[in-house]
Amino acid sequence: MTAKKSSKKPNVSAEELKAYYRDMLLIRRFEEKAGQLYGMGLIGGFCHLYIGQEAVVVGLEASAKEGDKRITSYRDHGHMLACGMDPNGVMAELTGRIGGYSKGKGGSMHMFSKEKHFYGGHGIVGAQVPLGAGLAFADKYKGNDNVTFAYFGDGAANQGQVYETFNMAALWKLPVIFVIENNQYAMGTAQARSTSSPDIYTRGEAFGIAGQAVDGMDVLAVKEAGDKAVAHCRAGKGPYILEVKTYRYRGHSMSDPAKYRTREEVQKMREEKDAIEHVRELLLTGKHASEDDLKAIDKEIKGIVNASAEFAKESPEPPLEELWTDIYATDASQTA
């Protein structure tokens, strides 16, 4: 796995480094708990875990400001937590309970938060990319400096609608960052077998879209690249492509045995490239935190995640009449 990395690291404070560690650990522990609940039969349908990719969304959220938007695919739990959505609401939605963000009707792949400007996980491969451009168009139309992060994977990068969107975004100079979360395998096919170009971001050159590849297992490198991309968009220079080269430790979904790669390969990535361990070492070697400090953070995170699981279990299932709500937009004056 190769990526163009800047030799200059962004200057971050000890508190920022701790925040990155905490946010990535929250995603890791939450996803581990979700996997457990799936195994217990408390989560049904599809469930795509984000374990291993935490540095991508944490690094980019660190580059965002209030008003920026994000939209992604079905591997979306990490994005929700990183933008500040409540773990209780996310876990309740995973288990199909009324306390979930979509009242238990959306499940793993279809949650939204107007308050956090999270415009959903989307189950159709690549479908969120043109929607992300639409969100960016709205901001350009309004004349603000907000940016939209449109996340998609290396597999979705071969979808035709992605390139139609590149073309329109370039023509209209939309403030959208196309984030390719390249975890090397799409659903189960290695990038070398499915994609003709080793660096997917270079496909934007045909449309005049600037971009770069970055090591997605290094949250500081992602933050640095995110700052550059955000500055590009806010300056009115149009879209930007970030290919964040990362790696998922689990299968494509909970039903995937992942026989297309070896256990040794996964273990090697865990031991040599784990994003959370990287920040942990930076905190310890830089004397920004002690072992006890990090244990306290882990204990806090486990408490939050366990509480979210209990909240989900205790939240009732949505009543049948709830199936008929939230279908059509209504004018309150006409329903009184």
Side-chain angles (χ1 to χ4, degrees):
M1 184 172 100
T2 60
K4 296 179 181 178
K5 292 175 59 177
S6 171
S7 59
K8 181 182 179 182
K9 293 293 185 183
N11 293 321
V12 296
S13 67
E15 289 308 309
E16 287 174 313
L17 205 56
K18 286 180 185 177
Y20 299 159
Y21 179 79
R22 183 188 181 282
D23 291 347
M24 289 193 292
L25 194 61
L26 173 61
I27 296 171
R28 177 74 56 91
R29 296 288 181 253
F30 183 94
E31 294 290 65
E32 289 170 346
K33 178 62 70 172
Q36 292 174 10
L37 296 183
Y38 187 93
M40 295 166 61
L42 296 174
I43 296 176
F46 291 100
C47 186
H48 306 82
L49 303 182
Y50 202 65
I51 297 173
Q53 299 183 209
E54 298 89 353
V56 179
V57 72
V58 169
L60 292 180
E61 282 294 336
S63 298
K65 71 172 181 64
E66 175 58 33
D68 289 342
K69 301 175 177 64
R70 61 280 296 158
I71 187 168
T72 188
S73 68
Y74 40 75
R75 197 180 309 281
D76 54 1
H77 316 155
H79 302 74
M80 299 179 217
L81 297 174
C83 74
M85 290 170 66
D86 185 356
N88 287 1
V90 178
M91 194 68 85
E93 188 60 40
L94 289 177
T95 55
R97 306 304 176 98
I98 193 71
Y101 269 98
S102 296
K103 300 180 182 179
K105 299 182 289 184
S108 173
M109 297 191 287
H110 304 103
M111 287 184 244
F112 302 83
S113 173
K114 182 178 179 180
E115 294 73 23
K116 296 299 181 181
H117 308 291
F118 180 78
Y119 287 85
H122 293 263
I124 303 301
V125 176
Q128 73 278 11
V129 181
L131 294 176
L135 293 170
F137 178 83
D139 283 323
K140 184 177 177 67
Y141 184 81
K142 293 175 181 177
N144 59 45
D145 69 343
N146 293 337
V147 167
T148 295
F149 295 85
Y151 293 86
F152 57 103
D154 47 300
N158 291 321
Q159 289 281 325
Q161 60 191 317
V162 171
Y163 300 97
E164 294 179 40
T165 304
F166 282 179
N167 186 51
M168 295 177 71
L171 282 171
W172 296 343
K173 291 190 179 299
L174 301 183
V176 55
I177 301 173
F178 297 109
V179 184
I180 305 170
E181 294 197 70
N182 184 353
N183 62 24
Q184 317 300 312
Y185 283 100
M187 288 183 67
T189 303
Q191 180 187 339
R193 295 181 58 214
S194 65
T195 306
S196 60
S197 46
D199 290 312
I200 304 174
Y201 80 94
T202 59
R203 294 181 175 184
E205 294 174 359
F207 306 94
I209 301 178
Q212 69 179 102
V214 61
D215 183 355
M217 306 303 279
D218 181 346
V219 69
L220 298 183
V222 175
K223 169 65 164 59
E224 182 181 37
D227 287 346
K228 181 179 178 180
V230 163
H232 176 96
C233 289
R234 296 203 205 285
K237 297 179 180 179
Y240 197 92
I241 299 175
L242 277 180
E243 181 183 353
V244 192
K245 300 199 176 186
T246 183
Y247 195 87
R248 57 171 165 76
Y249 297 162
R250 299 290 186 92
H252 170 68
S253 69
M254 287 296 294
S255 61
D256 175 17
K259 293 182 178 180
Y260 42 81
R261 61 185 182 182
T262 65
R263 291 184 178 180
E264 290 75 19
E265 177 184 310
V266 179
Q267 188 60 31
K268 181 178 175 64
M269 289 296 296
R270 280 183 175 271
E271 292 175 353
E272 298 180 5
K273 296 282 290 181
D274 187 76
I276 298 176
E277 283 301 310
H278 173 59
V279 174
R280 185 176 187 277
E281 287 302 311
L282 290 176
L283 288 168
L284 292 174
T285 56
K287 301 188 184 304
H288 303 305
S290 65
E291 288 280 3
D292 287 341
D293 292 334
L294 299 184
K295 287 180 181 178
I297 292 174
D298 196 18
K299 182 178 180 181
E300 175 203 358
I301 294 301
K302 287 180 178 177
I304 292 171
V305 169
N306 288 335
S308 74
E310 289 306 310
F311 175 83
K313 293 175 185 177
E314 293 171 4
S315 182
E317 294 183 356
L320 287 178
E321 55 266 26
E322 186 62 44
L323 293 174
W324 305 106
T325 66
D326 306 314
I327 299 173
Y328 303 107
T330 57
D331 183 341
S333 65
Q334 296 177 0
T335 58

